[in-house]
Amino acid sequence: MLALEPDADGFIWNQRGWTYAALGRLPEARDSFLKGLDRSSTTADQAEAQLGLAAVSRLDAQPRQALAPLRALLEHNPFDQASAPKSPFIMAAANHEAAQAALSVGDKHAAIAYLSQCAGLDPLNLECLKELAALKAKVGENRAAWYSYLSVLALDTSDGR
């Protein structure tokens, strides 16, 4: 990869992190997201860096390490300006990533809660809805699973699960 300017902002470091993650170079991705978090001047860039750190940890088979940046991203203290609410787009993705991390450590009920939050923030997210329906069925919440599958079918009539 090309060297970055010493004063590159968090957005640039985050994009480098995603590139490294896509190439499977997870240690370099983690370092880039950490620099992105350090150099971010906006809450959006900080949130993206936290999401990247969580994704890289989960991809690196360390789902418990993914939980700390996800908590930092998902928690909101209304009395603290530094924890201002994030974009609903990053929040849906963060809840989906948190569900994946929860599943990786065997916590199906937490995963259902995160997937439900994801579906509430982005009701057109088919991937989230499908995973939510399948997980509800797996834990025996058959009626709730049926309603989730009904939502999937309303959005994608070609999905004949």
Side-chain angles (χ1 to χ4, degrees):
M1 293 255 157
L2 296 173
L4 292 180
E5 294 291 324
D7 60 345
D9 70 355
F11 173 82
I12 300 296
W13 284 103
N14 287 339
Q15 301 321 299
R16 179 176 248 191
W18 292 120
T19 302
Y20 278 136
L23 293 171
R25 295 171 59 180
L26 301 179
E28 292 98 333
R30 182 176 289 109
D31 291 343
S32 293
F33 286 123
L34 285 170
K35 283 206 175 171
L37 188 60
D38 183 52
R39 305 249 174 110
S40 293
S41 58
T42 66
T43 56
D45 287 339
Q46 291 169 351
E48 184 178 0
Q50 294 283 20
L51 181 61
L53 285 169
V56 166
S57 292
R58 187 178 58 80
L59 290 170
D60 201 18
Q62 299 172 345
R64 291 196 193 285
Q65 285 185 346
L67 296 175
L70 287 168
R71 275 191 211 102
L73 180 56
L74 293 171
E75 290 176 357
H76 168 60
N77 178 351
F79 301 107
D80 181 9
Q81 280 298 86
S83 74
K86 316 302 186 288
S87 159
F89 302 108
I90 194 83
M91 297 307 288
N95 276 288
H96 191 256
E97 186 61 38
Q100 300 307 311
L103 283 174
S104 295
V105 297
D107 192 347
K108 292 180 186 135
H109 294 288
I112 288 173
Y114 286 125
L115 288 171
S116 296
Q117 186 72 16
C118 176
L121 290 166
D122 185 1
L124 301 178
N125 186 332
L126 276 172
E127 184 178 339
C128 177
L129 287 170
K130 288 177 183 179
E131 290 176 25
L132 179 60
L135 193 54
K136 283 180 177 179
K138 192 173 196 174
V139 299
E141 294 182 18
N142 297 329
R143 182 174 294 206
W146 185 85
Y147 282 115
S148 295
Y149 279 124
L150 190 61
S151 297
V152 169
L153 188 60
L155 292 173
D156 183 7
T157 56
S158 67
D159 191 340
R161 287 182 189 225

